[in-house]
Amino acid sequence: QQQVKQSPQSLIVQKGGISIINCAYENTAFDYFPWYQQFPGKGPALLIAIRPDVSEKKEGRFTISFNKSAKQFSLHIMDSQPGDSATYFCAAPKGPGANNLFFGTGTRLTVIP
Amino acid sequence: DTEVTQTPKHLVMGMTNKKSLKCEQHMGHRAMYWYKQKAKKPPELMFVYSYEKLSINESVPSRFSPECPNSSLLNLHLHALQPEDSALYLCASSQVLGRRGNTGELFFGEGSRLTVL
């Protein structure tokens, strides 16, 4: 049973463009929605996270938009750079207040110069 | 540089071998995790330790045996593995939820890439 559905599977964006990755969740008890970034040969690293009491969170070029009624959240990468090329995973905790995470299926982002 | 250190980075073993993966963190985290990641797939949770006690086992086969000897160390003992167990094994740590200021962030190591022949 997939608790977090992520799309697209892969994404190619021109340098300077906007990258958008979407996730949908089912369990309304989820209370924390992080995005992790993983470069080849490395472990995932937290990029940005949001809690359901806000609709948007911005950190530099990265923004999470959260739609509680639709049970969806998305990652926007503004002014995408080749260094952003990586795999991005959305995630949600396996239970209320839990740290262990369900990960989405991942999106492989390629930013071409 | 990651603050979670995993050794070895690469391991090749036969199906009859016994080996161990090691993980160390010095961030004072009292929750530690083992995840398994196959190529082009998301990490999948295997085990969670909280205050050095096993709190979650995601129905992992007994040929994988975790151990948490102290608050900084986490081991994964491997025995009689199958070729389908070949994967990247990721260790992570975090603060235990419930403490003030907890971000819920998992800190991952770079992983141990395991090949079972």
Side-chain angles (χ1 to χ4, degrees):
Chain A
Q1 182 184 5
Q2 192 171 358
Q3 299 281 345
V4 181
K5 296 181 180 180
Q6 184 173 346
S7 63
Q9 189 172 8
S10 63
L11 182 61
I12 299 174
V13 173
Q14 289 272 0
K15 178 182 176 181
I18 301 174
S19 305
I20 302 174
I21 305 171
N22 300 300
C23 274
Y25 63 97
E26 298 175 0
N27 190 336
T28 55
F30 290 163
D31 59 357
Y32 173 69
F33 299 91
W35 285 91
Y36 279 78
Q37 179 188 53
Q38 186 175 25
F39 293 103
K42 303 291 186 181
L46 180 67
L47 184 64
I48 187 172
I50 196 169
R51 298 195 185 275
D53 52 350
V54 297
S55 60
E56 186 174 284
K57 182 175 181 181
K58 183 176 181 180
E59 291 184 359
R61 296 184 294 109
F62 301 92
T63 300
I64 296 180
S65 297
F66 184 79
N67 186 330
K68 190 173 183 177
S69 60
K71 294 191 286 185
Q72 295 176 346
F73 58 109
S74 60
L75 175 68
H76 291 63
I77 305 174
M78 311 300 288
D79 187 26
S80 299
Q81 300 295 312
D84 296 330
S85 298
T87 299
Y88 293 81
F89 294 99
C90 62
K94 284 203 167 190
N99 250 5
N100 43 312
L101 300 174
F102 282 116
F103 283 89
T105 50
T107 296
R108 179 170 289 190
L109 171 65
T110 303
V111 181
I112 52 178
Chain B
D1 289 340
T2 181
E3 296 181 74
V4 177
T5 304
Q6 291 188 242
T7 56
K9 291 192 183 301
H10 300 275
L11 178 63
V12 179
M13 60 186 292
M15 289 190 285
T16 58
N17 292 157
K18 286 185 181 181
K19 297 286 185 183
S20 297
L21 306 180
K22 299 185 182 300
C23 175
E24 187 169 7
Q25 58 89 14
H26 294 290
M27 293 180 281
H29 292 165
R30 300 302 294 277
M32 297 188 76
Y33 311 75
W34 280 114
Y35 278 83
K36 173 182 177 180
Q37 186 176 28
K38 303 281 272 184
K40 299 185 179 181
K41 296 292 185 181
E44 295 179 3
L45 183 68
M46 300 175 71
F47 302 104
V48 181
Y49 273 82
S50 180
Y51 295 107
E52 295 86 67
K53 294 191 185 304
L54 183 64
S55 60
I56 295 176
N57 176 340
E58 290 285 322
S59 302
V60 178
S62 60
R63 57 185 184 267
F64 295 92
S65 176
E67 178 195 20
C68 190
N70 61 53
S71 60
S72 300
L73 294 174
L74 185 66
N75 299 322
L76 186 62
H77 302 298
L78 314 171
H79 174 55
L81 294 192
Q82 304 297 311
E84 59 265 29
D85 296 321
S86 298
L88 181 69
Y89 288 84
L90 293 162
C91 173
S93 71
S94 75
Q95 296 178 19
V96 175
L97 281 180
R99 290 176 176 267
R100 189 177 177 182
N102 188 343
T103 63
E105 179 176 359
L106 293 184
F107 291 81
F108 283 89
E110 295 192 346
S112 293
R113 187 163 298 283
L114 173 67
T115 303
V116 182
L117 301 176

